[in-house]
Amino acid sequence: MLFSILCKSHADRNVYPSAGVLFVHVLEREYFKGEFPPYPKAGDSSNDPITFNTNLKGYPDRPGWLRYIQRTSHSDGVLYGSPTAEHVGKPTIIEITAYNKRTFETARHNLVINIMSTEEFPLPYQAEFFIKNMNVEEMLASEVLGDFLGAVKNVWQPERLNAINITSALDRGGRVPLPINDLKEGVYVMVGADVQFSSCLREVETPQNQLRCSQEMEPVISCDKKFRAQFHIDWCKISLVDITKVVPVHSNHPDLGTGVLPDIGEYNPPSESLKSRDYFADFLITLAVPSAIALVLFIILGYSMCCRREGVIQLVHHSSIQKSTKEIRSMSKNREISWPLSTLPVFHPVSGEVVPPIHPDSYETTSMPLMQTQPNLQSQIQIPQQQSSGDNYCMSTFRRLEVNGIPEERKVAEALNL
């Protein structure tokens, strides 16, 4: 495991990590503060918010094996990762740009990573632990990672033990924890050793513990107490790999070549003079042909309707239906129908006079209501009505009856009882 801290020097910084061993590089804010010019306004320059941007020189991002994390602008940034044997002998230049968010100044330095080969790579026995109560930047601290390796070495007891890689649980598809009860994201730590796994590490493979893991229960591990004081390990997610028994899978990668196109001579663009094109054939296909087909269909339809016997019969039949409809409608206007009972002559209850119907003969009978109302009375006649005592008279109202436009009056001798 290699830890490096960027020193205060204007020259490029060179580091020499080993392949297959965890590489951690800390970007200290205190170093870059001295690179920024003094700020004229009052303020605490020691607490300036500074962020970092890292990328491979000439490219917008970092190499695939190298990760970067910085929680806040008031904390140091960390570059970490595990280079492989494919990167041995290839210097990797990382451009580090620091941004001061208070003064809006920038500072840039280069970090040259020279990956070295090692005889111990790769270690044959590798174990990956999932620590639930840690974030990745907390685990990358040299003191914390040293304590974890010491606990693993006490349980495993190998001759050589190295940290191979550290991965945040968020990079494995984990969820961001809720900001309550000081919950952590969790981190995966892979270590490698030169001896076989201890009996304590293999306890998780027993059927009893496998059953407890399937039921989402904590397995019973005898050596868990050696980690519990500082590290809460999820033993159901431990992974034990013996790379000496892993069957290698060889894939045929295509030859990517040099990336340079072959020399095929100079480029000859097309000439400026373009040949004329005749669009008459296109016109016939798109307009003339459909129009001709539509005209033929129209002629066939007209001949069938006007010249053929069946078409003539249909036209005559349609015309006769229209004439019959008009005739029926004209007859319905002049038809005589029986009057409703509400329109027949009635006698006045006091005078005995016949009350004429409400509507005349010219009234539209189709919309005539069956029951008439008193406010609709049109012609009213007032007649005197005898009081119960004395010779005084009052006026009574009744309607005059007309049947089919002919007034019809009937006198009742005893109506007034004179």
Side-chain angles (χ1 to χ4, degrees), residues 206-226:
T206 59
Q208 295 81 4
N209 285 330
Q210 291 293 323
L211 178 61
R212 294 178 66 89
C213 288
S214 63
Q215 297 175 352
E216 298 183 357
M217 300 174 61
E218 288 287 341
V220 179
I221 306 297
S222 61
C223 58
D224 179 61
K225 58 183 178 180
K226 298 182 179 180

Side-chain angles (χ1 to χ4, degrees), residues 124 241-249:
V241 178
D242 184 359
I243 63 175
T244 59
K245 298 180 181 180
V246 176
V247 178
V249 178

Side-chain angles (χ1 to χ4, degrees), residues 23 27 52-70 78-81 87 92-96 111 113 171:
F23 165 71
L27 305 179
F52 300 95
N53 182 37
T54 60
N55 63 279
L56 184 64
K57 187 175 182 179
Y59 294 88
D61 204 354
R62 297 175 299 276
W65 62 271
L66 189 63
R67 298 186 181 94
Y68 168 75
I69 187 172
Q70 183 186 15
V78 181
L79 285 169
Y80 67 100
H87 305 96
T92 303
I93 302 176
I94 303 298
E95 292 182 343
I96 302 173
L111 176 67
I113 303 176
D171 298 333

Side-chain angles (χ1 to χ4, degrees), residues 354-357 379-381 398-402 406-409:
V354 178
V355 180
S379 58
Q380 296 182 350
I381 301 176
F398 68 95
R399 296 198 58 184
R400 186 169 176 271
L401 178 61
E402 292 183 0
I406 301 175
E408 183 175 326
E409 299 179 354

Side-chain angles (χ1 to χ4, degrees), residues 132-363:
K132 298 183 291 185
N133 64 328
M134 288 287 177
N135 288 334
V136 62
E137 70 276 6
E138 298 173 346
M139 198 67 198
L140 289 173
S142 57
E143 299 83 3
V144 178
L145 186 57
D147 294 341
F148 178 75
L149 292 178
V152 174
K153 190 173 183 178
N154 189 16
V155 172
W156 202 340
Q157 297 181 355
E159 294 182 4
R160 296 192 303 271
L161 179 69
N162 289 330
I164 298 177
N165 200 3
I166 291 180
T167 307
S168 173
L170 301 182
D171 298 333
R172 299 283 188 90
R175 294 184 178 181
V176 178
L178 296 175
I180 56 176
N181 299 330
D182 196 22
L183 296 178
K184 304 294 184 178
E185 298 172 357
V187 60
Y188 290 89
V189 181
M190 178 177 287
V191 298
D194 56 348
V195 297
Q196 292 187 357
F197 306 108
S198 63
S199 58
C200 174
L201 297 180
R202 290 193 176 275
E203 289 179 1
V204 72
E205 298 178 349
T206 59
Q208 295 81 4
N209 285 330
Q210 291 293 323
L211 178 61
R212 294 178 66 89
C213 288
S214 63
Q215 297 175 352
E216 298 183 357
M217 300 174 61
E218 288 287 341
V220 179
I221 306 297
S222 61
C223 58
D224 179 61
K225 58 183 178 180
K226 298 182 179 180
F227 297 91
R228 180 65 61 176
Q230 188 176 0
F231 307 100
H232 296 171
I233 298 177
D234 188 349
W235 292 100
C236 292
K237 294 184 178 181
I238 190 174
S239 175
L240 305 177
V241 178
D242 184 359
I243 63 175
T244 59
K245 298 180 181 180
V246 176
V247 178
V249 178
H250 300 282
S251 59
N252 297 326
H253 297 283
D255 187 9
L256 301 179
T258 60
V260 180
L261 296 177
D263 186 10
I264 57 176
E266 296 182 356
Y267 172 69
N268 296 322
S271 60
E272 297 182 357
S273 61
L274 299 177
K275 296 181 180 180
S276 61
R277 181 179 176 182
D278 186 11
Y279 293 95
F280 183 73
D282 298 338
F283 170 76
L284 292 179
I285 294 175
T286 57
L287 294 179
V289 174
S291 301
I293 295 175
L295 180 61
V296 171
L297 294 177
F298 179 76
I299 294 174
I300 295 175
L301 180 61
Y303 174 76
S304 301
M305 295 299 297
C306 301
C307 301
R308 300 283 294 179
R309 181 173 179 274
E310 294 82 359
V312 174
I313 293 175
Q314 290 182 0
L315 293 177
V316 172
H317 181 64
H318 179 70
S319 178
S320 63
I321 292 176
Q322 287 185 336
K323 293 180 180 180
S324 301
T325 303
K326 291 180 180 179
E327 184 178 358
I328 292 174
R329 288 178 178 176
S330 61
M331 293 173 61
S332 64
K333 295 181 180 180
N334 301 324
R335 63 186 175 180
E336 296 293 339
I337 61 174
S338 60
W339 290 85
L341 296 177
S342 61
T343 62
L344 294 178
V346 294
F347 291 96
H348 193 274
V350 178
S351 63
E353 293 290 336
V354 178
V355 180
I358 298 177
H359 301 288
D361 293 341
S362 61
Y363 186 76

